[in-house]
Amino acid sequence: MQLGLIGLGRMGGNMRERLRAAGHEVVGFDQNLAVSDASSLADLAEKLATPRVVWTMVPSGKITEDTIDALAEVLSPGDVIIDGGNSKFTDDAPRAERLAKKGIKYMDVGVSGGVWGKTNGYALMVGGDAETVAHCMPIFEALKPAGEFGFAHAGGPGAGHYAKMVHNGIEYGLMHAYAEGYEILEASELVENVPAVIKSWREGSVVKSWLLDLLDRALDEDPKLAGLKGYADDTGEGRWTVDEAVRLAVPAHVISASLFARFASRQDDSPAMKAVAALRNQFGGHAVKR
Amino acid sequence: MQLGLIGLGRMGGNMRERLRAAGHEVVGFDQNLAVSDASSLADLAEKLATPRVVWTMVPSGKITEDTIDALAEVLSPGDVIIDGGNSKFTDDAPRAERLAKKGIKYMDVGVSGGVWGKTNGYALMVGGDAETVAHCMPIFEALKPAGEFGFAHAGGPGAGHYAKMVHNGIEYGLMHAYAEGYEILEASELVENVPAVIKSWREGSVVKSWLLDLLDRALDEDPKLAGLKGYADDTGEGRWTVDEAVRLAVPAHVISASLFARFASRQDDSPAMKAVAALRNQFGGHAVKR
Amino acid sequence: MQLGLIGLGRMGGNMRERLRAAGHEVVGFDQNLAVSDASSLADLAEKLATPRVVWTMVPSGKITEDTIDALAEVLSPGDVIIDGGNSKFTDDAPRAERLAKKGIKYMDVGVSGGVWGKTNGYALMVGGDAETVAHCMPIFEALKPAGEFGFAHAGGPGAGHYAKMVHNGIEYGLMHAYAEGYEILEASELVENVPAVIKSWREGSVVKSWLLDLLDRALDEDPKLAGLKGYADDTGEGRWTVDEAVRLAVPAHVISASLFARFASRQDDSPAMKAVAALRNQFGGHAVKR
Amino acid sequence: MQLGLIGLGRMGGNMRERLRAAGHEVVGFDQNLAVSDASSLADLAEKLATPRVVWTMVPSGKITEDTIDALAEVLSPGDVIIDGGNSKFTDDAPRAERLAKKGIKYMDVGVSGGVWGKTNGYALMVGGDAETVAHCMPIFEALKPAGEFGFAHAGGPGAGHYAKMVHNGIEYGLMHAYAEGYEILEASELVENVPAVIKSWREGSVVKSWLLDLLDRALDEDPKLAGLKGYADDTGEGRWTVDEAVRLAVPAHVISASLFARFASRQDDSPAMKAVAALRNQFGGHAVKR
């Protein structure tokens, strides 16, 4: 089927390729006109037959809001907008209502898979009504991996982004569990070949996973990870997951600890630890570093 | 080749089958003589040609120590003992020394794979000297999964059990990351079909793993896990991992939180939370439950 | 000076007494007219000379918002409203703006001290402009403890509630640190007299504090805390503190862990631990509780 | 009464002064003979009338073991050795047995109070038998603060050091709770005067404590703690507390998190966070720092 796709960066560009390889007609638009199939949103709308389906794949937050609002100006009643970016789930219901007033349907889709999705397919978590989901199913079929997994209709508006948010929260926890184990192995006097141990777990073990495969891959390239700094950004979903855990009274020690470790990794110095050092010095005369 | 195998429970029994299917000759011994191929350790020793290789697969702690000591009585210089149970890594070096005095070689092997190992193969992490490892390689080849993964010579005595300990520590963290995400999804008002979301992650997503496959399997059987109590034992390796993190000054927030959550799951009431309730009542007159 | 005081519950009632004992004229209003000095907000306004100062001490959230809005209807330009409840700091700036349009000044005050404040005085953290703070200083002087501590002008609108929020977040962490230590002592085979140990720390030790005094007091009443259930509510500020830590990228392992422990204390069963139990059963055939 | 005191450093030196001020006769010994009252352990023994009481106040571990063993050589049956250092509680029972064979009695005493103890008195937690405790009570009375608090007979051998260990574990948690709150206040856009807020809590608030007094003191000296590095050592008791929590299956999220934060404060770079960075780069092409 025909699809408009806005945002042709790392994710959107790969998705266009995967969709075209599956035989779909994709009209892409990007601010970078060099990679764009349309010269403007208006041009994009003109190039698509109604009822149109347009997928946005742009950074979450104001850019997505502005893009969708501008898009709504050039679309027609009966058209569908799908937001596949990492929007916060609380944006979806008001957005869906706003678009519904113009007769435009809305779905939110959480998309997982990173740079590997082009080849392996993307896991898709969809929020929206059943009819609109069914209408767009050929697109989802092309983007998801072959086989029975990789797609869920999670619920109404917001459920797709919510599921993706929790997915990423879990991802933080998984990564940090491996990371702590890796650090213990590295610190151990007994284990002589850490990368070999990691590699051994890739089959037969209880901890085998795609993330473990990637850790092995990273260690193949750099067995001590010597070329990397222990510094990690976070991109919103981890924070929202902790906020949701707090709102819903779910004990989320692991996911929050993973998030906090990323915060700490970005601090040049820790105000909290200054306070601890100050206290130790005050009561015990313990030496401090200045 | 020929192998003596002591302990024919859930793990040992399956391993005997996998080894035999690969063409090896296994003489098994178990306290339960109904499943045993030998009538005693002495009989086991008699049934094996020297130099013998005998693998113990019995519960860690005193039982393993006693078994190995009794075994050493009936073996000869040049024989090999392999401990594949979940022994604590600190037991291995003294054990290896004790056996070396009798001319018996020793290897410790961490074995992962659970009840699925019979079919899928077991991930093996080995501690010992290169020569002994090479000598026993046919056994390892038969037990490990087909393909390039699932085996590591981790280091000298203790390194195998150490690697398995860290493996299990990571496993605690991974399981708890999924568990927290699952609880948030269950608590959410937006996500209508939690099992479908979990299932969607099995392909294409960043969090895909064998543990996730198993969570999906459990939800297929019981979509709300309604038949289970939120109660989990721990079997030593998680505790040892935290102890090691503490010894080595490795921040292990995630693995320790996973372990502590298991502790809490087994408490009928929490003395710590009684203290918190008492304090809130004392300073604020907050209501308490009696 | 003269003060209107709305909300004469546990906190407000005590504050009225303390203020009157200091020679101030307090006109109290409460929905419970039996304890009220005024029959309505309008009556309260009438009973106070302009420029009026009215302090609200009602539950945070909608009740506070509604009370302040209703109060603004009966006050005059130049009057002052002080919110001493546990409002969320984000409510303060919009509230101050709304009131400023009517010429009414606004201060937010975090009040700590619980049921002991009547006797000991309350710690007060104030948000507002310097002029209004100065105008109300006699009230603050009467409410705060004697001596140099117990009062801070923390910043502009919201700063008072913010400081109180962090105060409570710290309080969660302090209480839980004592609680964990208490539980370890209780579990120990060596320590025979836990209450005596707690009592010994009240002077001379590094951990001496008012909360410790209260824990000792609770143990005097019930040496095993046998009459209490390990169940603790939370009242908003702990959650907001964690949300703020997340927003500001502050690693807050301790405060969040204290909050999560309260969440867990209120669960009959843990969905997360059901998932852990399900996984252990799936991969290892480990027994589960049903 | 008469007391031998071995180790005249920061703690021991102050204790000698406090004891003498209370009218006791103290014969001190230190490797630094300039501050020593005796020229050797033998000389110390000679200067004391039997039955002697000798208190060791030297660094925990091998130095304490060696000191006590050497001391036992010069003492007589009926004498008493008191270890007031931060020995691990597991050392006490074997030590007591070893000494008992020579007829020497043993007590372990946890001593809290830091550099302030000379003036304020020390909190003392004692492990030993009731008769020996009673015999030495005049010493304890002189060292402890005036008033009803500051002394506990916690139990038999080891109970004193155990109680002190848990005391220090709690101390880690308390310090970190304040530290996290301090960091949030510092990061806040609303709170303009963080030291004033901290100071206000010293009276009337629920979080008032001696540690808070010291934090205020530190902020008086350096309002931004600008002269300090966020780096904190740990001295054993925190680690032992976590190990005990693990052994006793006590969920100790807060104390362990405080300990782990100290570990992290001492790392130039975090191997775990390198692994996280590597993984993010692998799956998402996320930028890494090199």
Side-chain angles (χ1 to χ4, degrees):
Chain A
M1 64 187 276
Q2 209 186 32
L3 181 79
L5 178 57
I6 300 175
L8 301 169
R10 200 161 44 195
M11 290 293 285
N14 282 344
M15 288 164 68
R16 180 170 61 175
E17 287 192 51
R18 186 170 173 92
L19 284 163
R20 284 180 176 163
H24 294 291
E25 184 190 340
V26 182
V27 183
F29 174 72
D30 195 276
Q31 283 182 306
N32 173 8
L33 294 182
V35 301
S36 200
D37 306 314
S39 59
S40 67
L41 289 183
D43 184 37
L44 177 83
E46 213 161 283
K47 286 190 156 77
L48 296 169
T50 56
R52 305 174 186 92
V53 178
V54 185
W55 184 300
T56 58
M57 207 65 201
V58 297
S60 69
K62 188 168 169 7
I63 301 183
T64 291
E65 289 297 350
D66 290 352
T67 301
I68 288 176
D69 286 346
L71 187 60
E73 295 298 312
V74 298
L75 295 189
S76 318
D79 290 351
V80 177
I81 295 177
I82 301 172
D83 177 23
N86 276 325
S87 293
K88 189 164 182 191
F89 68 92
T90 46
D91 292 345
D92 292 308
R95 196 186 281 165
E97 273 182 55
R98 225 158 58 228
L99 293 171
K101 283 181 191 150
K102 304 195 171 203
I104 298 172
K105 291 160 189 165
Y106 176 73
M107 287 193 296
D108 55 287
V109 182
V111 180
S112 180
V115 295
W116 299 76
K118 188 171 83 175
T119 310
N120 300 350
Y122 300 91
L124 306 173
M125 299 138 253
V126 181
D129 65 80
E131 192 188 7
T132 314
V133 171
H135 177 62
C136 299
M137 208 61 215
I139 298 299
F140 298 142
E141 283 291 346
L143 286 172
K144 73 180 274 297
E148 61 177 308
F149 309 123
F151 176 85
H153 181 194
H161 282 139
Y162 197 98
K164 177 60 174 11
M165 172 193 78
V166 175
H167 166 283
N168 282 29
I170 292 172
E171 179 189 302
Y172 280 48
L174 300 180
M175 289 166 70
H176 213 74
Y178 286 119
E180 288 182 3
Y182 168 76
E183 182 165 336
I184 294 169
L185 288 176
E186 268 299 328
S188 159
E189 307 86 354
L190 283 178
V191 174
E192 292 163 23
N193 193 338
V194 174
V197 168
I198 300 288
K199 193 181 287 290
S200 76
W201 296 343
R202 291 186 59 179
E203 277 305 329
S205 89
V206 173
V207 303
K208 71 179 175 180
S209 73
W210 189 57
L211 281 167
L212 183 74
D213 295 346
L214 295 179
L215 180 56
D216 178 47
R217 201 167 180 270
L219 291 168
D220 275 348
E221 295 170 6
D222 181 355
K224 287 277 183 185
L225 303 179
L228 289 177
K229 215 173 138 10
Y231 178 105
D233 280 315
D234 70 282
T235 54
E237 297 86 2
R239 298 190 187 203
W240 303 335
T241 305
V242 175
D243 286 344
E244 271 296 281
V246 166
R247 185 181 72 82
L248 296 167
V250 171
H253 293 281
V254 163
I255 295 176
S256 61
S258 315
L259 179 67
F260 293 153
R262 293 199 183 183
F263 292 167
S265 82
R266 305 198 300 258
Q267 293 185 314
D268 277 334
D269 202 355
S270 156
M273 294 311 300
K274 282 170 180 264
V276 170
L279 284 170
R280 295 184 78 238
N281 181 251
Q282 287 286 338
F283 73 71
H286 296 288
V288 292
K289 293 215 171 185
R290 293 180 194 276
Chain B
M1 65 187 278
Q2 209 185 32
L3 181 80
L5 178 58
I6 300 175
L8 301 168
R10 201 161 42 196
M11 289 293 284
N14 282 344
M15 288 164 68
R16 179 170 61 174
E17 288 193 48
R18 185 170 174 93
L19 285 162
R20 284 181 176 164
H24 294 291
E25 184 189 340
V26 182
V27 182
F29 173 73
D30 196 277
Q31 284 182 304
N32 173 8
L33 293 181
V35 301
S36 202
D37 306 315
S39 60
S40 67
L41 288 183
D43 183 37
L44 177 83
E46 214 161 280
K47 287 191 157 75
L48 296 169
T50 57
R52 304 175 187 92
V53 178
V54 185
W55 185 299
T56 57
M57 206 66 199
V58 296
S60 68
K62 189 168 166 13
I63 301 183
T64 291
E65 290 297 350
D66 290 351
T67 301
I68 288 175
D69 286 346
L71 187 60
E73 295 299 312
V74 299
L75 296 189
S76 317
D79 291 349
V80 178
I81 295 179
I82 301 173
D83 177 22
N86 277 324
S87 292
K88 190 165 180 189
F89 68 93
T90 46
D91 292 345
D92 293 307
R95 196 185 281 163
E97 272 181 57
R98 224 157 59 229
L99 294 171
K101 284 180 190 150
K102 304 195 171 205
I104 299 172
K105 291 161 190 164
Y106 176 73
M107 287 194 294
D108 54 288
V109 182
V111 179
S112 180
V115 293
W116 300 76
K118 187 171 83 174
T119 310
N120 299 350
Y122 301 90
L124 306 173
M125 299 137 253
V126 181
D129 66 79
E131 193 189 4
T132 315
V133 171
H135 177 61
C136 300
M137 207 62 215
I139 299 298
F140 298 143
E141 283 291 346
L143 287 173
K144 71 180 276 296
E148 62 177 309
F149 308 122
F151 175 85
H153 182 194
H161 282 139
Y162 197 99
K164 177 60 175 8
M165 172 193 77
V166 175
H167 166 282
N168 282 28
I170 292 172
E171 180 189 302
Y172 280 48
L174 300 180
M175 288 166 70
H176 213 74
Y178 286 119
E180 288 182 1
Y182 168 75
E183 181 166 336
I184 295 169
L185 287 176
E186 268 299 328
S188 159
E189 306 86 354
L190 283 178
V191 173
E192 293 163 22
N193 194 337
V194 173
V197 168
I198 300 288
K199 192 181 288 291
S200 75
W201 296 342
R202 291 186 60 180
E203 276 305 329
S205 89
V206 174
V207 303
K208 71 180 175 179
S209 73
W210 189 56
L211 281 167
L212 182 75
D213 295 347
L214 295 179
L215 180 56
D216 178 47
R217 202 166 177 270
L219 291 169
D220 275 348
E221 295 169 7
D222 181 355
K224 287 276 184 184
L225 304 179
L228 289 177
K229 214 174 138 13
Y231 178 104
D233 280 314
D234 71 283
T235 54
E237 298 86 2
R239 298 188 188 204
W240 303 335
T241 305
V242 174
D243 285 344
E244 271 295 281
V246 166
R247 186 182 69 83
L248 296 167
V250 171
H253 293 281
V254 162
I255 294 175
S256 61
S258 313
L259 179 66
F260 294 153
R262 292 198 184 184
F263 293 168
S265 82
R266 305 197 301 257
Q267 294 185 313
D268 277 335
D269 202 355
S270 156
M273 293 313 298
K274 282 170 182 264
V276 169
L279 285 170
R280 295 185 78 237
N281 180 250
Q282 287 286 338
F283 73 70
H286 295 288
V288 292
K289 292 215 172 187
R290 292 182 195 277
Chain C
M1 63 188 278
Q2 208 186 32
L3 180 79
L5 178 58
I6 299 175
L8 301 168
R10 201 161 43 196
M11 290 293 284
N14 282 345
M15 288 164 68
R16 178 170 62 174
E17 287 192 49
R18 187 170 172 93
L19 285 163
R20 283 178 177 166
H24 294 291
E25 183 190 340
V26 181
V27 183
F29 173 72
D30 195 276
Q31 282 182 306
N32 173 8
L33 293 181
V35 300
S36 201
D37 306 314
S39 59
S40 67
L41 290 182
D43 183 38
L44 176 84
E46 215 161 280
K47 286 188 156 76
L48 297 168
T50 56
R52 305 174 187 93
V53 178
V54 185
W55 184 300
T56 59
M57 206 67 200
V58 296
S60 68
K62 188 168 168 9
I63 301 183
T64 292
E65 290 297 351
D66 290 351
T67 301
I68 288 176
D69 286 346
L71 187 60
E73 295 298 311
V74 299
L75 296 189
S76 317
D79 289 351
V80 177
I81 295 177
I82 301 173
D83 177 23
N86 276 325
S87 293
K88 190 163 182 191
F89 68 93
T90 47
D91 291 345
D92 292 308
R95 196 185 283 165
E97 272 181 56
R98 224 157 59 228
L99 294 171
K101 283 180 191 149
K102 304 194 171 205
I104 298 172
K105 290 161 190 164
Y106 176 73
M107 288 193 295
D108 54 287
V109 181
V111 179
S112 181
V115 294
W116 300 76
K118 187 171 85 174
T119 310
N120 299 351
Y122 301 91
L124 306 173
M125 300 137 251
V126 181
D129 65 79
E131 192 188 7
T132 314
V133 171
H135 177 62
C136 299
M137 208 60 215
I139 298 299
F140 298 142
E141 282 292 346
L143 286 173
K144 73 179 275 296
E148 61 177 309
F149 308 123
F151 175 86
H153 181 194
H161 282 139
Y162 197 98
K164 177 61 175 6
M165 172 192 78
V166 174
H167 166 282
N168 282 29
I170 291 172
E171 180 189 302
Y172 280 48
L174 300 180
M175 288 167 71
H176 213 74
Y178 286 119
E180 287 182 2
Y182 169 75
E183 182 166 335
I184 294 169
L185 288 175
E186 269 299 328
S188 159
E189 307 86 353
L190 283 177
V191 174
E192 292 163 24
N193 193 338
V194 173
V197 168
I198 299 289
K199 194 181 287 291
S200 75
W201 296 342
R202 290 186 59 180
E203 277 304 329
S205 89
V206 173
V207 303
K208 71 179 175 179
S209 72
W210 189 58
L211 281 166
L212 182 75
D213 295 345
L214 295 179
L215 180 56
D216 178 47
R217 201 167 179 271
L219 291 168
D220 275 349
E221 296 170 6
D222 181 355
K224 287 277 184 184
L225 303 179
L228 289 178
K229 216 176 138 9
Y231 177 104
D233 280 314
D234 70 282
T235 53
E237 298 85 3
R239 299 190 187 202
W240 304 335
T241 306
V242 175
D243 285 344
E244 271 296 282
V246 167
R247 185 180 72 82
L248 296 168
V250 171
H253 293 281
V254 163
I255 295 175
S256 61
S258 315
L259 179 66
F260 293 152
R262 293 199 182 184
F263 292 168
S265 82
R266 304 198 301 258
Q267 293 185 314
D268 277 333
D269 201 355
S270 157
M273 293 313 299
K274 282 169 181 264
V276 169
L279 284 170
R280 294 185 78 238
N281 180 252
Q282 287 286 337
F283 73 71
H286 296 288
V288 291
K289 292 215 171 185
R290 294 180 193 276
Chain D
M1 64 186 279
Q2 210 185 32
L3 180 79
L5 178 58
I6 300 175
L8 302 168
R10 199 160 44 195
M11 289 294 284
N14 282 345
M15 287 163 69
R16 178 169 62 175
E17 288 193 49
R18 185 169 174 92
L19 284 162
R20 284 180 176 166
H24 294 291
E25 183 190 340
V26 182
V27 184
F29 174 72
D30 196 278
Q31 284 182 304
N32 173 8
L33 293 181
V35 300
S36 201
D37 307 315
S39 60
S40 66
L41 289 183
D43 184 37
L44 177 82
E46 214 161 281
K47 287 190 158 75
L48 297 168
T50 57
R52 304 175 188 92
V53 179
V54 185
W55 184 301
T56 58
M57 206 67 200
V58 296
S60 68
K62 189 169 167 8
I63 301 182
T64 291
E65 289 298 350
D66 290 352
T67 301
I68 288 175
D69 286 347
L71 187 58
E73 294 299 312
V74 298
L75 295 189
S76 318
D79 290 350
V80 178
I81 295 179
I82 301 172
D83 177 22
N86 277 324
S87 292
K88 190 165 181 189
F89 68 93
T90 46
D91 291 346
D92 292 308
R95 197 186 281 163
E97 272 181 57
R98 225 158 58 228
L99 294 171
K101 283 180 192 152
K102 305 194 172 206
I104 299 173
K105 291 162 189 163
Y106 176 73
M107 287 194 294
D108 54 287
V109 182
V111 179
S112 179
V115 293
W116 300 76
K118 187 171 83 173
T119 310
N120 300 350
Y122 301 90
L124 305 173
M125 298 137 255
V126 181
D129 66 80
E131 192 189 5
T132 315
V133 171
H135 177 61
C136 299
M137 207 61 215
I139 299 298
F140 298 144
E141 283 291 346
L143 286 173
K144 72 179 276 296
E148 61 177 310
F149 308 123
F151 175 85
H153 181 194
H161 282 140
Y162 197 98
K164 178 61 176 7
M165 172 194 78
V166 175
H167 166 283
N168 282 27
I170 291 171
E171 180 190 302
Y172 279 49
L174 300 180
M175 287 166 71
H176 213 74
Y178 286 120
E180 288 182 2
Y182 169 76
E183 181 166 335
I184 295 169
L185 288 176
E186 268 299 328
S188 158
E189 307 87 353
L190 283 177
V191 173
E192 291 163 23
N193 194 338
V194 173
V197 167
I198 300 289
K199 193 181 287 292
S200 75
W201 296 342
R202 291 185 60 180
E203 277 304 330
S205 89
V206 173
V207 303
K208 70 180 176 179
S209 73
W210 189 57
L211 281 167
L212 182 74
D213 295 346
L214 295 179
L215 180 56
D216 178 47
R217 201 167 178 269
L219 291 168
D220 274 349
E221 294 170 7
D222 181 355
K224 288 275 183 185
L225 304 179
L228 289 177
K229 214 172 138 13
Y231 177 105
D233 280 314
D234 69 283
T235 54
E237 297 87 2
R239 298 189 188 203
W240 303 335
T241 306
V242 174
D243 285 345
E244 271 296 282
V246 166
R247 186 181 71 82
L248 296 167
V250 171
H253 293 281
V254 162
I255 295 175
S256 61
S258 314
L259 179 66
F260 293 153
R262 292 196 184 185
F263 293 168
S265 82
R266 305 197 301 257
Q267 295 185 313
D268 277 334
D269 202 355
S270 157
M273 293 313 299
K274 283 170 180 263
V276 169
L279 284 170
R280 295 184 79 237
N281 181 249
Q282 287 286 338
F283 73 71
H286 295 289
V288 291
K289 292 214 172 186
R290 293 181 194 277

